[in-house]
Amino acid sequence: SQTIHQWPATLVQPVGSPLSLECTVEGTSNPNLYWYRQAAGRGLQLLFYSVGIGQISSEVPQNLSASRPQDRQFILSSKKLLLSDSGFYLCAWSPPGGSFVHVEKLFFGSGTQLSVL
Amino acid sequence: SQQGEEDPQALSIQEGENATMNCSYKTSINNLQWYRQNSGRGLVHLILIRSNEREKHSGRLRVTLDTSKKSSSLLITASRAADTASYFCATDDRGSTLGRLYFGRGTQLTVWP
């Protein structure tokens, strides 16, 4: 069966510090991968998605970047965190199919609560 | 944007009562999905309804879709305290070739024992 791992669960970082959140998926090959951010009491904002190694699409301009160094590994990074980067970050995957498949189900990780102080 | 909007933002009911949540969206879709999120956790997929379907059932869940009104509803029957969570609708975009889902802000459901 497929599983998704996301860590850390909680992170408190000072403004200006770097960030690295990691997400890995097991039990499937070539999944579509996603990073979402959820501000308190708000919906989910899609940050990045990837349909393959090295293929990253960004939804919104921001202080963050994403990389996919391996098929089932997705990393969210920042060189210098801002206060506005605080939020709940969720990694998710969907079955493979590249860009031209309409997503019918997302499987989410357990999330990382990031507080930038 | 395509983002769906759930209504109401918060709903508080007693165990055994039914809970109804609504979702509206803006553009044509292929499917609409409902997810559940327990506090501080990831989202869990509940049910998908395709644009050519009008109603779907899964256990105590009933979802309807009205594409002419661009709206959907999620009914949870005979609610339990364990149903307390946030519920989100998510839509794709028929006009897009990219595999993205757009989420609303959610309905916070509280079920009192």
Side-chain angles (χ1 to χ4, degrees), chain A residues 16-30:
Chain A
S17 64
L19 173 73
S20 180
L21 302 181
E22 189 165 341
C23 172
T24 59
V25 179
E26 297 177 356
T28 186
S29 296
N30 197 31

Side-chain angles (χ1 to χ4, degrees), chain A residues 24-26 28-34 50-53 68 70-73 92-98:
Chain A
T24 59
V25 179
E26 297 177 356
T28 186
S29 296
N30 197 31
N32 293 338
L33 296 172
Y34 308 81
S50 171
V51 298
I53 296 175
R68 185 170 177 172
Q70 300 181 42
D71 180 44
R72 292 170 291 177
Q73 183 184 29
W93 73 273
S94 65

Side-chain angles (χ1 to χ4, degrees), chain A residues 37-40 83-89 112-116:
Chain A
R37 178 170 60 198
Q38 185 178 28
L83 288 173
S84 58
D85 292 323
S86 294
F88 192 53
Y89 288 82
T112 295
Q113 183 63 54
L114 173 66
S115 298
V116 182

Side-chain angles (χ1 to χ4, degrees), chain A residues 14-19 63 77-82 85:
Chain A
V15 169
S17 64
L19 173 73
N63 186 41
S77 303
S78 174
K79 293 182 179 179
K80 290 186 177 181
L81 284 169
L82 306 172
D85 292 323

Side-chain angles (χ1 to χ4, degrees), chain B residues 1-5 24-29 69-71 91:
Chain B
S1 72
Q2 168 65 341
Q3 187 177 46
E5 290 294 335
S24 60
Y25 57 93
K26 295 182 180 178
T27 64
S28 296
I29 61 173
K69 296 181 179 179
K70 291 185 169 59
S71 67
T91 56

